[in-house]
Amino acid sequence: MSTTVRVSEELLKDARKYSKIDHRSLAGQIEHWAKIGKCAEENPELTYEMIKDIFVGLAELEEGEKEEYKFG
């Protein structure tokens, strides 16, 4: 389901730039930032790099790239 949302011209301008760099659609870029922001608010102890690694891991799981983690 899609919904129309008003955002500032500045956010739109930045999203256009980063969407090209990251090969995402404009909406995909804004969604990506929203997911990172939501995760950061829910987990203030996590760094950006940790959040990014979590999303990479989740994407790998969705693609079937998984193996058991071995401690030590």
Side-chain angles (χ1 to χ4, degrees), residues 16-41:
R16 276 193 185 99
K17 178 174 57 176
Y18 282 93
S19 69
K20 290 176 185 174
I21 293 167
D22 294 333
H23 304 286
R24 292 186 181 100
S25 67
L26 183 57
Q29 184 64 44
I30 293 171
E31 281 183 23
H32 173 72
W33 284 342
K35 288 177 185 176
I36 289 172
K38 182 177 183 280
C39 186
E41 281 191 352

Side-chain angles (χ1 to χ4, degrees), residues 8-9 14 19 26 45 47 49 53-55 58 67:
S8 70
E9 285 296 321
D14 287 345
S19 69
L26 183 57
E45 70 284 356
T47 65
E49 287 302 318
D53 288 344
I54 289 167
F55 285 126
L58 289 171
E67 60 185 61

